[in-house]
Amino acid sequence: MTEKKETTTNESSNPSRRDFIKSGALAAAGFMIVPRFVLGGTGYTAPSDMLNVAGIGAGGKGESDIANFAKSGKANIAFLCDVDDRSAAKSRAAFPKAKYYKDWREMYDKEHKNFDAVSVSTPDHNHAIIAYHAMQLRKHVYVQKPLTHDIWEARLLTDAAKKYKVVTQMGNQGASNDGTRLMAEWYDAGLIGDVDTIYCWTNRPVWPQGIKWPEPSTNIPKELDWNLWLGTAPKKDYVEKLVPFNWRGWWDYGTGALGDMGCHLVEAPFRVLGLQYVKDVQASVGSVYVDSFRKGNFPESCPPSSHITLTFPKTNKTKGDVTLHWMDGGIQPERPEELGPNEKWGGEEGNGTLFIGSKGKMYASTYSDAATLLPKERTKDAKAPQKYKRVPGGANGHYAQWVEACLAGYGKMEVSSPFEVAGPLTEALLMANLAVRGHDLKGGAFKYTWDNNAMKVTNFDDVNQYVKRQYPAGFELKA
């Protein structure tokens, strides 16, 4: 599907590239029209019907993302990019024809005419800069959750999707599952009444948090470009056991348990109740003691556990404000009385979302799996009209859905987690993290009020430094 020549014309005001190629072929006088299958055989997919993807972050979650795009049968993995050759090894072996880069900036500069879309599966702190520059090049983007590291970045990407008219999707694949749509139908049918309270919980972190920053090491692996890995983060000496996974527990790179799992578990409340922005947030966090009666102070690290209470304004699907409780570090809500003493929640017990309604309750686990009415026997006999179109393949279909939408062109096909939805969801979660970080600034557990238009906390200015950070030279991000 890649054009050999760039164009500044927006896709929304013209036929999709696929349609353009087809109409151009029909207009070519003097040529006999031959069916594609005659030229390419049964099941042949023309190059014009393939999405050329550049995968940035080729290991870990990036490895599975790239593989799932390829499984759609309509995505060609044209380029791979990773700062760590060790992480990229499996993807490079799986896609040997893909040209490999370490620096995404070099790849954009040299190859931007040769790919149509970008998948971003890097640590959180580099999501926004990579995605935004791709969007400026009019490339469709798929970005792992959370969409961004900072609130300002989430707003920037949300606005950029409209400005540059590109197809966007965040990697919270549960947004494509049947469960989130089924719960929306149950709610719309009035099966649990009006919801004013929600609980979301996770067994994360499953990496170290609430710890001291490690001692620097000179043993930088030869396969890793440490400065490129840092990217938009402050310059620091290399430390061991940070790459490729444990960065999630450090504020410079990750967004803690809430950033890691919130986009999965809070997506259903956003969809079911039409939630948007947060009015106010308060948080209590787990403490770490390094000796008898001596509390540790590790502001660079996320806390080992937290209980965060978010208030959302009334929507057209609720009768009033909605209170959402977030719990991590193994903390869970009180078991509903509708569950027997030895009865399991269902799905993944370590992660869940519980809706408390005026006429009943419902819950689901990670990715909105195991959607269930309480008591459980209600689920089998529940009757609610199907209102929301299902995504073929559910969570696994999240990838193919984006590929198909990119091929169709901007505005032609619905996707489950476009930035217009994923952006506000991410902002709400990152705003909640401001209350968590406020503890390290002596803000404590009071209620932080939020001005959504100004993007700032109105009653404790110290935390507003985390709404938008400073970027080092070479990795500036400007609107």
Side-chain angles (χ1 to χ4, degrees):
M1 177 183 149
T2 304
E3 294 176 335
K4 294 181 180 177
K5 199 173 181 181
E6 280 195 294
T7 176
T8 56
T9 305
N10 292 331
E11 289 184 50
S12 61
S13 58
N14 284 281
S16 69
R17 300 184 196 182
R18 178 168 48 184
D19 292 337
F20 177 82
I21 291 169
K22 290 178 180 177
S23 61
L26 289 170
F31 288 89
M32 180 175 68
I33 300 172
V34 181
R36 185 188 304 149
F37 70 85
V38 173
L39 296 172
T42 304
Y44 171 73
T45 302
S48 59
D49 287 340
M50 293 290 285
L51 185 74
N52 288 316
V53 177
I56 302 176
K61 188 59 184 171
E63 180 185 328
S64 62
D65 286 344
I66 292 163
N68 276 299
F69 296 135
K71 285 178 185 176
S72 72
K74 295 186 178 181
N76 171 46
I77 308 305
F79 297 93
L80 294 171
C81 183
D82 202 298
V83 300
D84 191 340
D85 295 343
R86 298 169 302 173
S87 294
K90 290 184 179 179
S91 290
R92 294 181 71 181
F95 303 99
K97 293 183 180 179
K99 191 171 180 180
Y100 180 68
Y101 283 87
K102 273 202 166 184
D103 191 332
W104 60 270
R105 298 168 302 177
E106 180 185 6
M107 185 183 72
Y108 282 8
D109 184 53
K110 293 181 178 179
E111 308 288 357
H112 63 272
K113 295 182 181 180
N114 300 319
F115 59 87
D116 311 300
V118 173
S119 169
V120 182
S121 303
T122 66
D124 302 350
H125 66 291
N126 286 323
H127 283 184
I129 190 170
I130 297 171
Y132 185 65
H133 284 291
M135 296 162 84
Q136 287 183 309
L137 292 170
R138 301 302 201 277
K139 307 302 179 183
H140 308 299
V141 288
Y142 182 103
V143 182
Q144 258 308 322
K145 51 76 193 171
L147 183 61
T148 62
H149 183 273
D150 298 346
I151 297 169
W152 176 82
E153 293 175 337
R155 189 74 59 91
L156 177 70
L157 292 196
T158 302
D159 293 341
K162 300 173 186 175
K163 178 179 179 180
Y164 297 112
K165 301 189 183 304
V166 293
V167 178
T168 59
Q169 181 97 295
M170 183 168 71
N172 56 331
Q173 56 267 41
S176 289
N177 246 349
D178 291 357
T180 187
R181 290 158 178 77
L182 182 60
M183 288 190 291
E185 290 160 356
W186 287 343
Y187 184 72
D188 292 351
L191 297 189
I192 66 168
D194 180 65
V195 167
D196 62 9
T197 305
I198 300 165
Y199 289 88
C200 297
W201 65 96
T202 181
N203 57 6
R204 268 63 164 183
V206 292
W207 52 82
Q209 284 192 186
I211 59 175
K212 182 181 178 181
W213 180 251
E215 291 297 321
S217 169
T218 57
N219 298 320
I220 303 176
K222 65 180 184 303
E223 299 91 348
L224 171 67
D225 189 317
W226 173 243
N227 288 326
L228 276 180
W229 187 93
L230 287 173
T232 64
K235 297 303 179 186
K236 286 187 178 181
D237 291 333
Y238 174 77
V239 296
E240 296 180 351
K241 297 184 179 180
L242 184 72
V243 179
F245 187 74
N246 290 343
W247 53 265
R248 289 167 172 81
W250 302 98
W251 289 121
D252 278 345
Y253 320 112
T255 48
L258 179 57
D260 186 66
M261 291 300 293
C263 291
H264 290 312
L265 296 167
V266 184
E267 186 275 334
F270 261 66
R271 183 185 297 271
V272 172
L273 303 181
L275 303 181
Q276 283 292 316
Y277 63 92
V278 176
K279 284 174 61 175
D280 54 64
V281 173
Q282 53 187 313
S284 58
V285 301
S287 299
V288 177
Y289 282 80
V290 295
D291 204 344
S292 300
F293 296 98
R294 189 159 68 91
K295 187 177 178 180
N297 180 32
F298 308 119
E300 293 175 302
S301 178
C302 309
S305 60
S306 66
H307 177 189
I308 308 168
T309 306
L310 304 86
T311 305
F312 291 90
K314 178 185 181 301
T315 74
N316 60 3
K317 300 185 76 174
T318 68
K319 292 183 178 180
D321 289 354
V322 175
T323 301
L324 189 148
H325 295 269
W326 170 268
M327 300 172 170
D328 60 46
I331 303 171
Q332 291 192 5
E334 181 181 0
R335 288 172 59 81
E337 59 184 14
E338 293 88 347
L339 279 177
N342 298 317
E343 192 173 12
K344 294 183 178 180
W345 285 96
E348 293 186 39
E349 292 179 77
N351 305 286
T353 301
L354 174 67
F355 294 79
I356 310 292
S358 57
K359 297 180 181 178
K361 301 169 185 174
M362 62 183 181
Y363 76 85
S365 67
T366 316
Y367 306 152
S368 294
D369 286 332
T372 307
L373 289 165
L374 293 177
K376 287 185 175 181
E377 54 265 24
R378 290 188 64 198
T379 307
K380 183 175 64 174
D381 300 324
K383 290 181 172 60
Q386 182 172 324
K387 295 174 59 177
Y388 304 106
K389 185 179 178 182
R390 301 313 196 246
V391 177
N396 290 331
H398 197 64
Y399 304 91
Q401 182 196 56
W402 176 70
V403 170
E404 292 278 5
C406 292
L407 289 168
Y410 177 78
K412 302 291 180 63
M413 252 185 77
E414 181 180 343
V415 291
S416 298
S417 195
F419 290 179
E420 66 189 72
V421 174
L425 170 59
T426 301
E427 283 192 37
L429 302 176
L430 297 178
M431 193 273 144
N433 266 342
L434 296 183
V436 175
R437 302 196 73 175
H439 283 263
D440 290 323
L441 300 172
K442 310 303 181 185
F446 66 80
K447 188 177 290 186
Y448 294 70
T449 56
W450 178 248
D451 184 330
N452 191 59
N453 292 326
M455 281 193 292
K456 71 176 185 177
V457 169
T458 60
N459 60 337
F460 188 65
D461 189 56
D462 288 3
V463 295
N464 288 319
Q465 63 183 292
Y466 304 127
V467 172
K468 180 186 178 183
R469 62 207 151 102
Q470 299 297 314
Y471 300 96
F475 292 94
E476 297 90 350
L477 182 56
K478 299 177 182 179

